[in-house]
Amino acid sequence: MEATINGGIIYFVETGERGRLPVLFVHGFPFSSAMWDSQMEAVGRRCRAIACDIRGLGRSEVGDGQYTIEGHVDDLIGLLDRLEIDKTVVVGLSMGGYIALRTLERNPERFLAAVLCDTRAEADDNAGKLKRANGAASVKRHGAAAFAESFLPAVFAPESLRTKPEAVKLIKSIIAATPPLAIAGHLIAMAGRTDTTASLAAIGVPTLIMVGENDTLTPPALARAMHERIPGSKLYLVPGAGHMSNLENPEFFNSRLLEFLEGIAGG
Ligand code: MLT
């Protein structure tokens, strides 16, 4: 489905009954809602599950290639308004987590609960910003397929690269189909994001944190730091997984997610 939000076409998928607990999935960089297929199926049996393609990625409009996390927050709120969802559970992985954390900071009244996966509250340091700048220049020069080749070993655990060919193929094909302009635009958006660490202590909704035990991009130490700051939060390390914890160990990920959602739905 598509909706025009803040002047651009935003694509989303929706499953499950409308009257049930809304759960909004926000993907990482530079992926699409397709990374949530297994969760959409599992969660859609019990909740109203929605997964959107962030502006510029997946099937959403690329536009001018200039993005900010603030703009993505505006889009998320615009989509909730369009779907007439007053309050939702948000599930964000990595960049989806950056967007979720900033939305929780800006619009806490729109949330019932949060699930933060393989993400962090800290902004990029100088080394991180320079890496983004190099990545943006490189993807425009060498294209998305080359970017995908170099990105895969950073997001999947070495074991998953061998044992999860379907998941690796999915992510590779999503990245390769993404316009270099949109990849570069998101690297710049992430380099310019704000630090949400100071507001973690103010998160007042139930929060589940999950991170692949072998995640090297947003390692468990960062998840533990968020867990210590977010009152009453739960933390699980996803066995055997790297950065793509929902794809690398969907059995573990889905069971913890469903258990958490049951607690929210049950009130
Ligand atoms: C993601 O998975 O969204 C990105 O790798 C996050 C990042 O590069 O900071």
Side-chain angles (χ1 to χ4, degrees):
M1 280 168 279
E2 288 178 356
T4 301
I5 310 279
N6 301 320
I9 296 169
I10 300 294
Y11 175 88
F12 62 97
V13 283
E14 185 173 1
T15 180
E17 283 173 34
R18 286 216 150 196
R20 292 193 171 168
L21 178 73
V23 182
L24 174 63
F25 289 90
V26 190
H27 62 80
F29 158 89
F31 317 130
S32 76
S33 54
M35 67 163 275
W36 296 117
D37 282 356
S38 144
Q39 287 71 41
M40 286 293 284
E41 199 191 320
V43 173
R45 281 189 226 117
R46 306 181 193 184
C47 302
R48 177 183 183 187
I50 301 129
C52 62
D53 283 352
I54 291 165
R55 183 181 295 256
L57 299 175
R59 292 194 225 176
S60 288
E61 197 173 331
V62 172
D64 59 10
Q66 297 186 2
Y67 315 106
T68 59
I69 298 300
E70 295 311 295
H72 292 323
V73 171
D74 293 339
D75 288 346
L76 224 61
I77 296 297
L79 182 62
L80 290 177
D81 289 345
R82 182 63 53 90
L83 295 173
E84 297 181 346
I85 296 172
D86 184 29
K87 286 175 187 278
T88 190
V89 179
V90 65
V91 184
L93 184 135
S94 199
M95 183 178 74
Y98 307 158
I99 298 168
L101 282 166
R102 180 63 184 136
T103 318
L104 278 157
E105 198 173 49
R106 270 180 50 184
N107 294 87
E109 74 286 355
R110 303 303 295 262
F111 295 100
L112 294 164
V115 184
L116 304 169
C117 320
D118 302 277
T119 194
R120 66 169 86 199
E122 294 81 6
D124 286 0
D125 59 13
N126 280 351
K129 286 182 206 289
L130 292 173
K131 200 167 164 219
R132 305 275 194 211
N134 284 334
S138 171
V139 72
K140 285 197 279 183
R141 196 173 315 125
H142 303 297
F147 186 85
E149 285 299 338
S150 64
F151 201 62
L152 292 175
V155 292
F156 283 100
E159 176 76 1
S160 304
L161 284 171
R162 284 193 302 275
T163 59
K164 303 275 175 194
E166 289 305 316
V168 175
K169 196 170 138 198
L170 172 73
I171 290 301
K172 189 175 174 175
S173 66
I174 294 173
I175 301 175
T178 304
L181 180 72
I183 295 179
H186 277 94
L187 285 165
I188 295 162
M190 286 190 288
R193 75 186 189 278
T194 57
D195 189 315
T196 52
T197 313
S199 61
L200 293 176
I203 294 180
V205 291
T207 303
L208 169 64
I209 301 166
M210 289 201 270
V211 61
E213 64 174 352
N214 299 318
D215 186 344
T216 52
L217 268 184
T218 49
L222 295 175
R224 279 197 195 95
M226 281 197 298
H227 171 53
E228 278 161 21
R229 289 188 165 98
I230 303 177
S233 58
K234 284 190 185 127
L235 168 68
Y236 292 114
L237 265 58
V238 182
H243 189 61
M244 306 302 301
S245 57
N246 70 310
L247 289 167
E248 296 180 66
N249 192 344
E251 299 79 14
F252 183 94
F253 187 99
N254 289 357
S255 76
R256 294 302 180 278
L257 176 60
L258 290 172
E259 183 184 271
F260 178 73
L261 293 174
E262 238 160 61
I264 305 299

